[in-house]
Amino acid sequence: PMSKAAPDKKLVYNLLGATGICTVPLSGFCTDLPGFRVTLLENDDEKRLKIWHTIAGALTSMLYPERELSI
């Protein structure tokens, strides 16, 4: 169950659910470092920027739910 998953796995699961953007938890790479990995292959600068803003906005909302995001 997700309740016993590593924090980075929970984060990427929630990020996927909130945005539809798939990232990979670093714990899947046999490391003790927290976080996630992103490989972005989008060539269109406008789309790529939108994806990064979407990730940043979702992470900000998850980590600081009391803040209102304005990017």
Side-chain angles (χ1 to χ4, degrees):
M2 206 42 132
S3 61
K4 293 184 179 184
D8 61 345
K9 288 182 182 177
K10 291 178 186 178
L11 182 82
V12 300
Y13 182 79
N14 290 329
L15 185 62
L16 178 62
T19 66
I21 297 171
C22 183
T23 57
V24 180
L26 286 181
S27 61
F29 291 94
C30 298
T31 179
D32 292 331
L33 295 172
F36 61 92
R37 181 178 178 152
V38 176
T39 301
L40 189 55
L41 302 175
E42 179 58 60
N43 289 325
D44 183 290
D45 289 339
E46 190 173 316
K47 288 179 183 178
R48 188 171 48 247
L49 187 58
K50 183 179 179 189
I51 292 167
W52 284 118
H53 280 182
T54 300
I55 292 171
L59 290 173
T60 300
S61 294
M62 286 181 216
L63 297 172
Y64 307 101
E66 69 283 355
R67 292 187 188 176
E68 186 174 320
L69 181 64
S70 60
I71 292 181

